[in-house]
Amino acid sequence: MNASAAKPHKKRIQTVLEHASGDKRFKILEVHMKKHQFRQDALIEVLHKAQELFGYLEDDLLLFVSVKLKLPPSRVYGVATFYHFFQLKPQGRHACVVCMGTACYVKGADKIIDAIAQKYKVRPGETTADNQLSLLTARCIGACGIAPAVVYDGTVTPRATPESALEHINQWMTQ
Amino acid sequence: MIFNDLIAIKEKEIAGRKKIVLRCCLAAGCMSSNSKGIKEQLEKAVAEAGLQNEVEVRGVGCMKLCCEGPLVAADPQNALYVRVTAANAPSIIAALKGGKADAAQTDPNAPFFAKQHSIVLANSGSVDPERIESYIAADGYQALHEVLHEMTPKEVVETMVKCGLRGRGGAGFPTGLKWGTVAKSPGAKKYVICNADEGDPGAFMDRSVLESDPHSVLEGMAIAAYAVRADQGFIYVRAEYPLAIARLQIAIKQAKQMGLLGAGIFESPFNFNVDLRIGAGAFVCGEETALMMSVEGKRGTPRPRPPFPAESGLFGCPTLLNNVETFANVPAIYRRGADWFAGIGTEKSKGTKVFALAGQIKNTGLLEVPMGTPLRVIVEEMGGGAPNGGKIKAVQTGGPSGGCIPAQHLDTPVDYESLNKLGSIMGSGGMIVMDDSTNMVEVARFFMEFCMDESCGKCVPCRAGTVQMHHLLDKIASRQATARDLKKLEELCDLVRNTSLCGLGQTAPNPTLSTLRFFRNEYEALLQPELHGNGEIKKPTVTT
């Protein structure tokens, strides 16, 4: 690696570490890494904690993790982009996850997605323009007995319909 | 902890039980309908009626009839209340002393329950998953003691071979053979991994076992570790199962506190630790080599075999990897004997299988039946048939790797070989019932979209093949495809099946091939004729 390419990289790491020292969340994340003895194979657990603390995994956060775990940034970025669970973009104030497992699909989950997408002008995997709502799909949350299942901000609700989903989201929007 | 200590805990737990027990389901499905709040209301109503010394309100695991949740059962009355609300609580308590409660009930002896044969789900719905004492009272950890003190690792493997258990994750590989291979592999460090990724959409058997009876999995893993001489175990759980993760963490902590995990278990030289590893939403990580990559903190891409994980797996060490349901069978097999287990099921498929029955069916939930039970019994007698007078069109098994069994084959017995013959697989246990309103081309497209999204991208046949097959299925579904497109689709299915690196790609064409086999007319009805350049319809060429 030629020296002139290394310099901006080192400077960015400096900036990231300086910024981190002023934000308590980075300290909590570092404690979590220490709990796993800073082992490189704990990367996925660390990224889970990072997403829990920061809401999403932005580039500087990934750089911080790579420095602390002594991993190449490309490796950390590669893992963060591989798994569906990790969000690399900021999320909306509320998250609505519609399960698209087979049982939920057979019971009309796609109609629920269409209804929400149409009313709030947002596609699955995206956030509304006003940052209020993120519409996500899950491939199966294992709640097939109560299909169709929808998760509103972490709470699983049973036997959803397009009407009940729109009503729930409407309540969020008017709060 | 010695054997007498274990029995003392069991006896103390049983002695402390009250005459009347109200069991409240606290598995994820019922929890989503506030079953925890209902349990609290029941406890409050018990206190208000002054019945604390006579009535125990116990939080338990999955009570199987998920569509009728929240479920509350009253023993010894043998009453089963369904769709319970907090308002029902006082009435249910009053009914304990006689009379009928003002709450909906269902028959606990209905075929859905009566025809089940519980081994894996024996404790589900009766044991409190958050108290190890409750598991011990149900003879928990006695099998582990027997194994550690009365059997050599070689004898443990022989028992597993004799009982005929086959892997319940879907492939049905003989478990005894797998344990034997890992046991024989040289190496000082070996691992045992429990695959709790359960990625098949429509499957929730493993989730229920982990939430309802986590200790059965821990005990099973410990017995396996002793057999193969491993000292470290991992349970790889998908991130979408937060309740299962929490229950496992509690179970591991309690087992460690009692010395049933850790160093010198039951005062023997055997050490075994179990750690959790959380997934992050990748279906491909259910594949064993991809799973191991994920445990190592890397992208979950599979690799070719050989070398097999039994020789070189996690961190390059010999690794035993089995499914949750496989491990959950283990304690019972060592407690009751290989011959007992081999006496259930069929010649080549021993034991029971847990199915997650869902879709267009009246009774949605979990059922455990002996291998060889006809599909018709499961779907019509136990499942109650399609709702609203609909007719069953097909039963889908094996998730995105499986196929659809049409109504005319409902008398097929459920075992590995019979389902393979019909172009499907047993799979992990997800069973989705489809009725006349289901469009089979749409089903094939749905599963192909899933495989396309979940493809890891490492090998070309799967990465590019699933995209092309999905595109063709889309074209067919939207009435823009010709007979030539259908032929191309079939050729692609053959190519992807035979050249993909791992099971995801190899089985991605299965739903398409299965629906083509039994519902070809639905595909052909959507095809458009080929046109000449001037817009005239071409005469169809002879199709093979």
Side-chain angles (χ1 to χ4, degrees), chain B residues 241-466:
Chain B
Y241 287 174
L243 183 57
I245 294 169
R247 295 257 161 95
L248 276 170
Q249 283 167 336
I250 294 172
I252 291 172
K253 185 161 159 223
Q254 290 180 348
K256 267 201 253 196
Q257 277 169 346
M258 281 214 179
L260 293 165
L261 272 180
I265 299 176
F266 280 127
E267 312 293 315
S268 78
F270 176 63
N271 309 326
F272 185 56
N273 282 302
V274 176
D275 285 313
L276 289 184
R277 280 286 185 270
I278 316 292
F283 172 71
V284 69
C285 286
E287 197 277 342
E288 57 180 2
T289 56
L291 192 155
M292 288 186 236
M293 289 288 272
S294 194
V295 173
E296 293 183 18
K298 300 175 181 144
R299 288 168 67 95
T301 50
R303 59 162 174 77
R305 279 149 291 173
F308 288 92
E311 292 146 18
S312 170
L314 189 63
F315 302 117
C317 302
T319 305
L320 172 67
L321 193 140
N322 274 130
N323 174 266
V324 168
E325 193 180 333
T326 311
F327 280 125
N329 270 293
V330 171
I333 290 169
Y334 289 88
R335 218 171 42 239
R336 301 180 66 168
D339 290 332
W340 159 78
F341 190 80
I344 303 165
T346 69
E347 172 72 37
K348 293 214 184 107
S349 305
K350 301 287 181 198
T352 59
K353 180 77 191 80
V354 181
F355 289 102
L357 190 62
Q360 301 293 8
I361 189 90
K362 280 211 193 93
N363 298 329
T364 310
L366 283 186
L367 15 94
E368 186 176 0
V369 292
M371 290 280 199
T373 303
L375 258 178
R376 195 181 293 281
V377 169
I378 297 175
V379 167
E380 286 181 2
E381 283 181 46
M382 298 171 80
N388 307 323
K391 242 184 67 158
I392 294 177
K393 185 172 178 180
V395 174
Q396 206 275 342
T397 63
S401 310
C404 300
I405 314 286
Q408 68 258 32
H409 287 294
L410 275 185
D411 290 308
T412 310
V414 152
D415 63 56
Y416 291 101
E417 278 68 33
S418 305
L419 291 173
N420 285 353
K421 261 200 233 131
L422 285 173
S424 184
I425 60 169
M426 175 84 69
S428 58
M431 192 180 272
I432 310 285
V433 181
M434 297 165 181
D435 68 7
D436 280 321
S437 68
T438 313
N439 176 333
M440 301 316 276
V441 178
E442 266 302 319
V443 168
R445 196 198 59 79
F446 168 82
F447 280 122
M448 190 59 74
E449 186 179 346
F450 177 83
C451 291
M452 179 180 73
D453 281 344
E454 296 296 329
S455 171
C456 78
K458 182 168 176 179
C459 74
V460 174
C462 178
R463 183 176 79 231
T466 49

